[in-house]
């Protein structure tokens, strides 16, 4: 657990890092922003779980895998852009993200985990794929509208 329960407010990850480990920044209540370099391809399970002040994270275009519960209970996370390179998003990845109102799932995503958006504030989930091409909609976001654009 690299920075588990840290007091950091902002993090810029160096270019030499290729993955963020499981629970690396979990429970860092003061963390408000994170910048990941283009070298990062994977974010491990619960890496930013319960970072209640996290409002902004820049995901790199190299990212392919978002683990389980990565942003679980990031209640202040209001905006996130998933890069086109992402192919899988784990179970509960955005569970409890109360401030998140909309998200766009890129066309390259092949796997969306169950209850990915449970107890989130999502109102709209836009998926750049043909209708019903990924099962499980709306993945726990009971009040969300799913818009298929592919």
């Amino acid at each position: 657990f690299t920075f588990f329960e840290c007091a950091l407010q902002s993090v810029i990850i160096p270019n030499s890092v290729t993955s963020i480990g499981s629970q690396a920044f979990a429970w860092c209540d003061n963390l408000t922003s994170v910048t990941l370099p283009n070298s990062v391809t994977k974010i491990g399970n619960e890496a930013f779980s319960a970072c209640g002040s996290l409002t902004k994270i820049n995901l790199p275009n190299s990212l392919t895998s978002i683990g389980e519960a990565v942003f679980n209970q990031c209640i202040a996370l209001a905006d996130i852009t998933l890069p086109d390179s992402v192919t899988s998003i784990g179970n509960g990845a955005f569970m409890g993200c109360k401030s998140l109102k909309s998200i766009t799932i890129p066309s390259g995503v092949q796997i969306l985990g169950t209850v990915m958006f449970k107890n989130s504030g999502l109102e709209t989930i836009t998926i750049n794929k043909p209708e019903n091409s990924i099962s499980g909609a709306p993945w726990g976001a009971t009040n969300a509208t799913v818009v298929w654009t592919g």
Side-chain angles (χ1 to χ4, degrees), residues 18-20 36-44 48 57-67 70-71 80-89 94 106 108-109:
T18 59
S19 68
I20 306 299
L36 300 175
N38 278 331
S39 55
V40 171
T41 60
K42 178 183 177 184
I43 301 176
F48 298 98
I57 184 162
N58 293 326
L59 299 177
N61 291 330
S62 56
L63 185 65
T64 59
S65 175
I66 297 173
V70 167
F71 300 105
I80 191 161
T81 301
L82 300 176
D84 290 336
S85 56
V86 172
T87 58
S88 69
I89 304 171
F94 298 94
V109 171

Side-chain angles (χ1 to χ4, degrees), residues 3-7 23-29:
F3 297 99
F4 186 83
E5 293 183 345
C6 70
Q23 296 186 339
F25 295 93
W27 296 94
C28 291
D29 289 334

Side-chain angles (χ1 to χ4, degrees), residues 34-144:
V34 176
T35 301
L36 300 175
N38 278 331
S39 55
V40 171
T41 60
K42 178 183 177 184
I43 301 176
N45 296 346
E46 300 179 44
F48 298 98
S49 185
C51 291
S53 298
L54 184 64
T55 58
K56 183 174 177 66
I57 184 162
N58 293 326
L59 299 177
N61 291 330
S62 56
L63 185 65
T64 59
S65 175
I66 297 173
E68 294 185 6
V70 167
F71 300 105
N72 178 36
Q73 300 303 319
C74 289
I75 59 174
L77 186 62
D79 182 40
I80 191 161
T81 301
L82 300 176
D84 290 336
S85 56
V86 172
T87 58
S88 69
I89 304 171
N91 297 335
F94 298 94
M95 189 167 30
C97 292
K98 300 283 187 193
S99 298
L100 193 60
K101 300 300 179 199
S102 68
I103 193 165
T104 298
I105 307 297
S107 60
V109 171
Q110 299 168 6
I111 300 168
L112 289 178
T114 60
V115 298
M116 197 167 95
F117 302 120
K118 185 177 181 180
N119 297 324
S120 71
L122 277 173
E123 297 168 358
T124 307
I125 302 167
T126 303
I127 302 178
N128 294 329
K129 291 180 89 63
E131 189 167 353
N132 298 318
S133 59
I134 301 177
S135 63
W139 304 279
T142 55
N143 294 321

